[in-house]
């Protein structure tokens, strides 16, 4: 529950309507209380901190001026939506953030009527906002549509595609560009604020209309419009947005609540076409540890509010992403054609390890997965050896480029697919569920998945040596299993798996890091006298057909196991078994995949349990298929 403190105005704010009629002094106090509430909440739950702290005043101003949920407020990505959630009937549930059965870390339609559009991938807000604006117009409504998009999200082409469409369409909508990295804005000060108030005011806009009527018959409308745009561009910037059809206002200080309230009231009264308000904010505003951090505490674990120190888990094996980054950096020492490419996630993918050693060969292209893939294709086409490191969920955005620019041309781009499988607190939007199927469908693609960190290191090397076609290796979020990585790596034989335990009744063929659960399941089965073979597939494409046929021939039951959606590795194996006639003689096959649902956030362990991909589920499916064995004994072993 939210803590109640003496004289705290926020305790009386349950919905945006409670902000109406408040004095500006009250609104400023409420903003500060929202900021402290965000800090307190995230210190307990972990999550995105810096971006939310940067938009506190903006969020309060928007909700004080506009009338959500009738007015549609769309947050791009959703990293910055915690203050919005506090003000929209979810204040008392904020400490359930990113937990099972709790609030999502992003906006979510099913969660609240104040979240008109769910977001967790960047650069969607303007497209969605134009959809809402057109729906409003077609239905004869009169509400406002407000999209808040960060300067990072503006690096993606989709944002400009949407702005181009919106500018040509001329539907009434408001885009607020939250520039929190100073990557766009010139210095902000009193003169900029003055011009912004002026050009958004009713008298100025009235004068423009009168002038337009006067000069139109004289044929001077176009030259006059250009002159005004250049004058405003000189005073305030924004010529690019004007050229795209938006009426540009800004830049303004996004922490100056008085200015924001004045501007938003003016903008609310404007009736013609799309408007872009450019605000400059500071990530981590109001919390010194975040302000002083290199990443402004973008994403944090639980932390001490007093010191800012984040909780650290017990030391364990290296994370898979670190193994990838360290291996690539080591290989880069002996091959100067290796390049690393990431889409705004250098630390998230650990390409920054490579980048520190070889900055001239490390490329962060921003939130632009489509560009990242085709950029890598261009590098490969001229003899370089690019590794394109992108989260599975984000690579989906570049799939067309994977098909047309890489696969069809058989270019040796190496895809390092991070966050494959379930990701815990970030939920369905960030789960890496689909890459096995969508990459395995492509002719010539080599698809690999390691069972441990040593196997991942070998796959990085294997991928490097594939020069005639594209390749991909997927690995999950989190730590490895603790195996030793050899100092001298040996590449894998393409399309060849391995048997790690021999048995005779049941075969478990695992693709990826569920191999450890498969081995535990084999132990459970062995306790009942049921002998199980456990094999590590290593490759989903090309398949190890010889291994698969051997397992089918020598066992009564064959289980396939993967951390991906239906239509992936298990489907490939089934297709081969059917085509080679292995299913004609009574072989019992079970395919274990992620369930055919979008799983909500929880701990990874709980999510895999729900998915039926833990040892007890694997053993139970084997017993069910075999038709003998004690299911209750499996449950007892699992709970022991």
């Amino acid at each position: 529950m939210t803590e109640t403190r003496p004289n705290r105005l926020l305790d009386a704010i349950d919905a945006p309507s409670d902000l109406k009629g408040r004095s500006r002094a009250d609104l400023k106090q409420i903003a500060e209380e929202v900021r402290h509430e965000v800090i307190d909440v995230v210190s307990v739950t972990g999550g995105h901190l810096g971006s939310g702290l940067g938009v506190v005043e903006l969020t309060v101003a928007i909700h004080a001026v506009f009338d959500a949920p009738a007015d549609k407020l769309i947050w791009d990505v959703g990293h910055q939506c915690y203050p919005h959630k506090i003000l929209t009937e979810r204040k008392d549930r904020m400490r359930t953030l990113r937990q099972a059965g709790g609030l999502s870390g992003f906006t979510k339609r099913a969660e609240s009527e104040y979240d008109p559009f769910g977001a967790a991938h960047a650069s969607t807000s303007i497209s969605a906002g134009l959809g809402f604006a057109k729906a409003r117009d077609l239905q004869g409504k009169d509400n406002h549509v407000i999209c808040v998009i960060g300067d990072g999200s503006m690096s993606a082409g989709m944002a400009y595609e949407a702005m181009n469409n919106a500018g040509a369409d001329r539907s009434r909508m408001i885009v607020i560009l939250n520039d929190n990295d100073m990557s766009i804005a010139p210095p902000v000060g009193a003169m900029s604020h003055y011009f912004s108030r002026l050009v958004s005011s009713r008298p100025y806009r009235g004068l423009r209309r009168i002038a337009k009527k006067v000069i139109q018959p004289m044929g001077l409308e176009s030259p006059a419009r250009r002159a005004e745009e250049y004058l405003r561009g000189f005073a305030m910037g924004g010529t690019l947005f004007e050229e795209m059809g938006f009426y540009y206002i800004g830049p303004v200080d996004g922490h100056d609540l008085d200015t924001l309230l004045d501007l938003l009231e003016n903008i609310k009264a404007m009736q013609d076409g799309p408007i872009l308000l450019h605000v400059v904010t500071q990530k981590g505003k109001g919390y010194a540890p975040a302000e002083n951090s290199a990443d402004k505490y973008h994403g944090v674990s639980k932390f001490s509010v007093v010191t800012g120190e984040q909780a650290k888990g017990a030391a364990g094996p290296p994370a898979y992403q670190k193994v990838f980054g360290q291996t690539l950096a080591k290989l880069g020492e002996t091959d100067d054609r290796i390049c690393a490419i990431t889409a705004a996630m250098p630390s998230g993918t650990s390409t920054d390890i490579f980048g520190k050693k070889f900055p001239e060969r490390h490329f962060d292209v921003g939130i632009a997965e489509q560009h990242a893939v085709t950029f890598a294709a261009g590098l490969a086409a001229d003899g370089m050896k690019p590794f394109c490191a992108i989260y599975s969920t984000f690579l989906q955005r570049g799939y067309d480029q994977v098909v047309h620019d890489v696969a069809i041309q058989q270019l040796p781009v190496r895809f390092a697919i991070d966050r494959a499988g379930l990701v815990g607190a970030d939920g369905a939007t960030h789960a890496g569920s689909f890459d096995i199927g969508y990459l395995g469908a492509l002719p010539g693609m080599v698809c690999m998945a390691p069972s441990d960190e040593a196997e991942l290191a070998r796959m990085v090397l294997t991928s490097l040596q594939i020069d005639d076609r594209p390749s991909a290796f997927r690995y999950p979020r989190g730590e490895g299993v603790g195996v030793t990585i050899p100092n001298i790596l040996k590449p894998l034989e393409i399309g060849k798996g391995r048997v790690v335990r021999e048995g005779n009744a049941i075969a478990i063929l695992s693709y990826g890091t569920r191999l450890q659960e498969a081995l535990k399941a084999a132990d459970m089965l062995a306790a009942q006298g049921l002998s199980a073979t456990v094999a590590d597939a290593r490759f989903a494409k090309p398949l190890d057909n010889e291994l698969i046929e051997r397992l089918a021939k020598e066992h009564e039951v064959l289980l396939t196991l993967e951390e991906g959606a239906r239509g992936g590795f298990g489907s490939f194996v089934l297709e081969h078994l059917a085509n080679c006639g292995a299913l004609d003689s009574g072989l019992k096959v079970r395919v274990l995949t992620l369930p055919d649902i979008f799983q909500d956030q929880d701990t990874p362990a709980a999510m895999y349990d729900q998915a039926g991909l833990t040892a007890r589920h694997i053993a139970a499916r084997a017993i069910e298929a075999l038709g003998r064995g004690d299911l209750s004994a499996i449950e007892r072993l699992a709970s022991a």
Side-chain angles (χ1 to χ4, degrees), residues 410-423:
Q410 297 182 310
L411 291 170
V413 174
R414 294 103 180 145
F415 293 99
I417 305 175
D418 203 335
R419 271 52 168 191
L422 301 175
V423 293

Side-chain angles (χ1 to χ4, degrees), residues 547-597:
L547 173 62
I548 291 168
E549 290 171 28
R550 178 200 148 191
L551 295 176
K553 182 179 179 181
E554 297 177 359
H555 300 81
E556 296 178 59
V557 172
L558 172 61
L559 276 65
T560 65
L561 177 63
E562 65 194 288
E563 299 161 287
R566 295 177 181 179
F569 172 69
S571 295
F572 304 157
V573 172
L574 267 177
E575 182 178 352
H576 176 70
L577 290 171
N579 288 337
C580 74
L583 300 179
D584 299 348
S585 56
L587 175 69
K588 299 172 181 177
V589 182
R590 299 293 184 269
V591 176
L592 280 66
T593 67
L594 294 177
D596 195 28
I597 60 172

Side-chain angles (χ1 to χ4, degrees), residues 459-482:
M459 287 179 182
V460 178
L461 175 60
T462 304
S463 189
L464 175 63
Q465 295 187 357
I466 299 174
D467 285 329
D468 59 347
R469 51 188 156 160
S471 57
F473 47 93
R474 72 187 316 258
Y475 46 95
R477 181 179 190 170
E479 295 179 346
V481 301

Side-chain angles (χ1 to χ4, degrees), residues 5 35-44 49 95 286-290 297 301-311:
R5 301 170 188 164
R35 177 169 280 111
H36 289 301
E37 184 71 4
V38 170
I39 295 168
D40 287 344
V41 165
V42 180
S43 73
V44 173
L49 180 63
R95 282 159 183 78
Y287 184 53
Y297 278 38
S301 57
K302 299 176 183 180
F303 64 93
S304 165
V305 174
V306 176
T307 66
E309 184 176 358
Q310 297 184 47

Side-chain angles (χ1 to χ4, degrees), residues 521-542:
D523 289 337
M524 293 178 174
L525 294 167
Q528 299 189 37
L530 301 174
S531 177
T533 295
V534 178
D536 178 9
R538 285 176 166 164
F539 293 86
K541 190 166 189 177

Side-chain angles (χ1 to χ4, degrees), residues 1-16:
M1 294 291 290
T2 299
E3 180 184 355
T4 301
R5 301 170 188 164
N7 303 317
R8 198 171 88 140
L9 298 181
L10 184 59
D11 295 331
I13 307 299
D14 294 317

